[in-house]
């Protein structure tokens, strides 16, 4: 099969491209390589897929992998580009699409709301229209646990009311779910929405807690601990996330509905202070903690009920937080060429 993966230079996108290639399918990766965070990290991920930086940085030009050949190709495109994206769909005739590209970040949405509408709303509409007009069989797309807002009904179930998002980022993800429902209903496109829960691991995003905490502790700088540490998150290791997404793309389920929506998480919430202690143990260093009030747009807790995904796709998260933290810290030391000891 030929599969389009948007957000291919991103954290989850890179790992998914690698997994799909290993399963024997052809991948076209798409990304706009914006500067929301360090683009060098994005180009480094692409390099692991055999996509050279000089090729990747040019807009609207297809390049092939030096490692996988034509089985892995890449194009730099904005999702909202209504000329380039339809041309890509027409040329490649994709069987499946996985849309991971989006403007990420809850707090950044307070500063730059327009970017979220451009990418997450207009861009997603462009994806839906391309799937409609080019006979794509299945669309898997990234939603987010942020749609649950500050719900105290835990664990979070897909059936919960999610009409009160507390950030624009969350509002765009809820909008994506509604748009996908409409296209499934009107045009018979199978859509699978995945509400991701705090993904972490090697090659992770620099704006996420795992990265920020590790970097600060190593550099003997204070870490910012919001809500005075009284937070919990359903931290989910990247390998578990990718295994779930691969099944959603490649496997059929007994759920014959064209519109599917799932939580995808570890289903084991961890207190923020315990997460920090795990990083401290792995580094052999103590964090200097700066306790701060709750940030606008943040939520107190996340906790995924993944029973529906387990039932329909045999989803089984396997990685403990300690093991996942260890894998991230090892990668961080390797990537930044740090000594094993501090």
């Amino acid at each position: 099969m030929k599969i389009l993966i948007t957000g291919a230079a991103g954290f989850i996108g890179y790992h998914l491209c690698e997994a799909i290639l290993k399963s024997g399918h052809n991948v076209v990766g798409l990304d706009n390589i914006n500067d929301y965070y360090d683009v060098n990290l994005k180009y480094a991920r692409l390099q692991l897929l055999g996509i050279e930086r000089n090729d990747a940085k040019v807009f609207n030009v297809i390049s092939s992998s030096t490692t996988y050949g034509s089985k892995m190709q890449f194009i730099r495109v904005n999702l909202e580009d209504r000329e380039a994206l339809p041309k890509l769909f027409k040329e490649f005739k994709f069987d499946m699409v996985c849309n991971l590209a989006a403007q990420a970040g809850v707090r950044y949405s307070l500063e730059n709301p327009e970017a979220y509408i451009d990418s997450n709303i207009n861009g997603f509409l462009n994806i839906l229209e391309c799937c409609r007009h080019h006979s794509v069989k299945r669309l898997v797309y990234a939603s987010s646990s942020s749609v649950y807002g500050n719900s105290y009904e835990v664990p979070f179930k897909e059936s919960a009311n999610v009409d009160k998002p507390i950030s624009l980022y969350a509002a765009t993800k809820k909008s994506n779910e509604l748009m996908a429902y409409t296209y499934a209903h009107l045009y018979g496109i199978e859509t699978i929405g995945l509400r991701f829960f705090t993904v972490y691991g090697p090659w992770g995003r620099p704006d996420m807690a795992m990265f920020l905490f590790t970097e600060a502790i190593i550099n003997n700088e204070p870490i910012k601990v919001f809500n005075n540490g009284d937070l919990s998150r359903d931290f989910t290791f990247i390998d578990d996330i990718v295994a779930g997404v691969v099944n959603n793309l490649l496997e059929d389920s007994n759920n014959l509905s064209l519109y599917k929506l799932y939580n995808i998480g570890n289903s084991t919430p961890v207190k923020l202070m315990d997460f920090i202690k795990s990083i401290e143990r792995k580094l052999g260093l103590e964090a200097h903690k700066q306790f701060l009030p709750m940030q606008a747009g943040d939520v107190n807790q996340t906790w995924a009920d993944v029973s529906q995904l387990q039932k329909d796709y045999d989803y089984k998260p396997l990685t403990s937080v300690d093991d996942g933290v260890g894998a991230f810290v090892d990668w961080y030391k390797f990537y930044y060429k740090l000594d094993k000891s501090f």
Side-chain angles (χ1 to χ4, degrees), residues 87-111:
K87 287 179 181 177
L88 186 71
F89 273 73
K90 183 178 181 180
E91 177 180 353
F92 282 93
K93 298 178 174 58
F94 300 112
D95 299 295
M96 311 283 186
V97 173
C98 184
N99 184 53
L100 300 175
Q103 178 56 59
V106 169
R107 292 170 194 149
Y108 187 64
S109 68
L110 304 176
E111 305 166 17

Side-chain angles (χ1 to χ4, degrees), residues 243-256:
V245 179
V246 168
N247 281 347
N248 290 135
L249 277 168
L250 303 183
E251 303 297 330
D252 294 323
S253 78
N254 294 324
N255 182 350
L256 299 180

Side-chain angles (χ1 to χ4, degrees), residues 95-97 124 128 131-132 135-141 176-194 248 251-262 312-313:
D95 299 295
M96 311 283 186
V97 173
F124 190 61
L128 287 168
C131 289
R132 170 193 173 191
S135 303
V136 171
K137 299 173 185 176
R138 179 177 297 161
L139 168 64
V140 178
Y141 64 95
N176 288 171
E177 296 175 0
L178 295 171
M179 294 161 73
Y181 178 86
T182 303
Y183 272 70
H185 171 73
L186 289 175
Y187 307 116
I189 302 168
E190 183 183 13
T191 66
I192 304 174
L194 298 173
N248 290 135
E251 303 297 330
D252 294 323
S253 78
N254 294 324
N255 182 350
L256 299 180
S257 169
L258 288 174
Y259 175 77
K260 303 180 184 70
L261 188 63
Y262 299 105
D312 290 353
Y313 287 95

Side-chain angles (χ1 to χ4, degrees), residues 202-244:
W203 296 97
R205 278 176 24 212
D207 63 323
M208 299 293 284
M210 176 83 254
F211 205 112
L212 292 170
F213 290 165
T214 301
E215 184 175 54
I217 294 169
I218 286 173
N219 292 308
N220 199 31
E221 296 171 350
I223 64 172
K224 294 180 179 179
V225 184
F226 294 106
N227 204 38
N228 297 306
D230 187 18
L231 298 170
S232 65
R233 293 287 182 268
D234 198 335
F235 292 103
T236 314
F237 191 63
I238 184 63
D239 290 1
D240 294 326
I241 288 286
V242 167

Side-chain angles (χ1 to χ4, degrees), residues 39-102:
V39 296
N40 292 310
L41 184 59
K42 299 181 180 185
Y43 284 120
R45 294 181 187 128
L46 290 174
Q47 181 69 53
L48 291 178
L49 296 171
I51 304 297
E52 299 297 330
R53 182 176 185 137
N54 286 339
D55 295 329
K57 68 182 182 181
V58 182
F59 275 95
N60 300 329
V61 175
I62 291 282
S63 57
S64 293
S65 169
T66 58
T67 305
Y68 298 97
S70 61
K71 291 187 72 66
M72 173 69 214
Q73 294 175 286
F74 178 81
I75 185 169
R76 187 178 186 185
V77 170
N78 286 308
L79 276 192
E80 60 270 29
D81 188 330
R82 290 199 177 100
E83 291 186 8
L85 199 66
K87 287 179 181 177
L88 186 71
F89 273 73
K90 183 178 181 180
E91 177 180 353
F92 282 93
K93 298 178 174 58
F94 300 112
D95 299 295
M96 311 283 186
V97 173
C98 184
N99 184 53
L100 300 175

